[in-house]
Amino acid sequence: MSFYKHSASYAREHDELAACRASNQANAACKEAIEAAIRDHYRDNRLDTAAVDQVVQQFGYDRALHVLAITVCQADWDKRYSPDNRAWANALSIPANPDAWATDRNCYLAVSSHPGLVDLFLSQTRKAYAQEQQKTSVRDMLKKRPETTSPKISAKSKAPEH
């Protein structure tokens, strides 16, 4: 399922409403998966990093981070989210998605777990994503062939010096 980044009104104007609705359903399922992962992996005042893996394996980083950013942005009054996570979420361009009554549909995608745990989950997800990006970057660099600066000259092709 691909991740749809635009609002419903944009989707309507561009005849992409089916893709928008399918993506929104996946976003809602991702929200529920985040809540379940936090519930299942929080023990002894510790959130196991397996919670992030559980969600990312099913929904990917783009969708999980999108839902988490919506969660932080929807609770801009809540100081239990770290300044770093708040700045990150606010820097993303998440379009408002108003319904016919001017209610932002994004509010339905906000994770309802304890904000302190959501903040911890978000921090762990951002860290895992950064590590994954770094691994991908290193793999890409290793795949590139080294460029040669000069052609190899074989011993046989060298003319004897006099």
Side-chain angles (χ1 to χ4, degrees):
M1 162 62 46
S2 66
F3 175 65
Y4 192 80
K5 297 180 182 186
H6 305 289
S7 67
S9 59
Y10 177 93
R12 196 173 300 108
E13 291 170 12
H14 293 85
D15 199 28
E16 299 172 347
L17 208 47
C20 178
R21 285 183 179 142
S23 184
N24 195 47
Q25 287 175 344
N27 290 344
C30 182
K31 168 205 180 266
E32 292 171 7
I34 291 170
E35 292 168 350
I38 289 171
R39 187 174 50 249
D40 295 346
H41 294 281
Y42 180 69
R43 300 278 184 274
D44 302 321
N45 287 332
R46 184 174 179 279
L47 182 61
D48 193 315
T49 55
V52 172
D53 296 337
Q54 178 178 319
V55 173
V56 168
Q57 286 177 4
Q58 186 176 0
F59 295 98
Y61 283 107
D62 287 343
R63 189 174 308 281
L65 289 170
H66 179 76
V67 169
L68 290 165
I70 286 173
T71 302
V72 173
C73 290
Q74 290 290 316
D76 60 349
W77 51 268
D78 196 332
K79 301 299 181 206
R80 291 174 285 188
Y81 294 104
S82 72
D84 186 46
N85 282 340
R86 185 181 314 285
W88 168 83
N90 288 326
L92 297 179
S93 52
I94 299 174
N97 196 7
D99 63 14
W101 298 275
T103 301
D104 187 0
R105 289 180 184 103
N106 290 337
C107 71
Y108 303 115
L109 298 176
V111 176
S112 62
S113 300
H114 187 280
L117 293 176
V118 175
D119 187 64
L120 181 56
F121 184 90
L122 173 54
S123 294
Q124 290 178 354
T125 305
R126 288 180 60 208
K127 181 179 178 183
Y129 179 70
Q131 290 171 341
E132 186 64 32
Q133 291 299 106
Q134 189 174 19
K135 286 179 195 174
T136 302
S137 174
V138 169
R139 268 188 246 132
D140 290 346
M141 285 191 306
L142 292 175
K143 285 181 182 178
K144 290 182 180 177
R145 292 183 178 168
E147 295 180 16
T148 55
T149 54
S150 61
K152 290 184 180 181
I153 302 174
S154 68
K156 292 179 182 178
S157 65
K158 284 186 178 180
E161 294 183 20
H162 294 286

